[in-house]
Amino acid sequence: MRYEMMLPRQIRAAIAAKTPVVLPLGVLEYHGEHMAVGMDTLAVTRALDMLEQEAEIVILPPFYYGAASYAVEPPEGTGSVHVDSNVLHPFARELFTGLLRVGFRNIHAFIHHQSENFAVGMPTDLSFKFGARQAIFAFLEKTRGEGWWGDSKMADYYAQQSGGDDPFNWIKIHPLMTADTIAEYPFDHAGEGETSLMLAMCPEAVDMTSFSDERWYVKSAARASAETGARGRDLILAHMRKALGLASSA
């Protein structure tokens, strides 16, 4: 279900069913001459398109305007759009506050940009993680009052911490590719791995006739194939199903 197309009764039903609500999170960044600048976000949106065919999920409109940085190339003529994390953080806080007020308690975001060391974090995912935590704390103090955690009703907090009833599980931020996925599939920037993913999931985002190997990070893209991308796609979908608590399609 696409959130922007949902009727209020459908939203209420999704809240009651604790249906996963998913934000595709990414950037607009130069990915060589052969690939679209939206690659990082397109990898998430196309994977969610596939999941939507097999399970009940609510897909929020994608957010493309993350902190791309200009580490790869300057923006002039390349298409990279960088929005600083100082702006992203308050936006994320207000977005998550709004979703909590609607009534959602099973909120997720998936990001592919700069996520090879996700435990440490990078500006975009850290901004949304911090915004999520601030939104949860503020929402709990507003709805339950100060001292809510110390109340006797929370005595089993640690015992049920891994369950969905833990308020700090209401919003989770995930990498599109986990460390386990990266161990089995090429992780790169505009190289074989990402180009193959687009060939398998969004072929209209790739034009190998424009390929140029002048930059070191794109050279391996010459080996890209839809077959390799299909392997990455399947690993990604398996991870997303697990993260969202969905049954495997196998």
Side-chain angles (χ1 to χ4, degrees):
M1 293 180 287
R2 305 295 164 140
Y3 185 72
E4 67 271 23
M5 296 298 295
M6 293 175 72
L7 302 175
R9 61 176 173 81
Q10 294 173 311
I11 293 172
R12 290 190 289 269
I15 292 169
K18 294 185 179 179
T19 302
V21 177
V22 188
L23 171 67
L25 180 58
V27 299
L28 297 168
E29 182 187 29
Y30 182 72
H31 277 77
E33 295 297 310
H34 66 289
M35 194 151 54
V37 295
M39 182 277 153
D40 287 342
T41 318
L42 288 168
V44 181
T45 59
R46 291 303 173 99
L48 288 172
D49 288 344
M50 296 171 189
L51 282 186
E52 188 184 20
Q53 302 304 311
E54 62 182 64
E56 286 290 319
I57 56 176
V58 174
I59 303 176
L60 295 166
F63 184 83
Y64 277 87
Y65 302 103
S69 87
Y70 300 134
V72 172
E73 297 285 345
E76 289 78 11
T78 68
S80 294
V81 177
H82 174 78
V83 178
D84 194 80
S85 59
N86 289 332
V87 177
L88 295 178
H89 156 244
F91 169 81
R93 183 187 64 222
E94 295 305 313
L95 172 62
F96 289 133
T97 297
L99 293 172
L100 290 172
R101 288 199 61 180
V102 170
F104 295 123
R105 300 291 184 269
N106 190 11
I107 304 165
H108 302 259
F110 284 91
I111 183 171
H112 181 55
H113 180 65
Q114 297 177 332
S115 56
E116 63 269 29
N117 194 351
F118 194 73
V120 175
M122 282 291 199
T124 302
D125 56 270
L126 288 173
S127 296
F128 277 77
K129 288 176 184 176
F130 187 34
R133 281 291 177 262
Q134 284 191 313
I136 290 170
F137 269 109
F139 183 81
L140 289 168
E141 289 195 3
K142 182 177 180 180
T143 57
R144 299 185 184 183
E146 294 180 351
W148 64 269
W149 190 85
D151 189 273
S152 59
K153 294 178 182 178
M154 295 297 296
D156 62 347
Y157 171 77
Y158 290 111
Q160 56 87 52
Q161 190 174 10
S162 62
D165 290 336
D166 176 7
F168 297 107
N169 282 327
W170 288 350
I171 306 172
K172 297 179 180 179
I173 316 296
H174 312 276
L176 187 67
M177 299 176 69
T178 65
D180 289 340
T181 302
I182 294 171
E184 298 186 48
Y185 186 81
F187 190 95
D188 53 40
H189 177 78
E192 179 185 10
E194 290 195 336
T195 304
S196 294
L197 273 184
M198 288 293 94
L199 287 172
M201 301 171 71
C202 187
E204 62 269 35
V206 181
D207 179 6
M208 291 305 292
T209 66
S210 298
F211 174 70
S212 170
D213 64 359
E214 292 181 358
R215 296 291 187 265
W216 69 267
Y217 52 84
V218 303
K219 289 182 182 297
S220 66
R223 302 192 299 268
S225 70
E227 291 74 21
T228 297
R231 182 162 53 87
R233 174 201 64 204
D234 292 345
L235 290 167
I236 286 169
L237 290 173
H239 157 57
M240 295 180 90
R241 291 186 194 103
K242 182 177 180 181
L244 298 175
L246 305 175
S248 172
S249 64

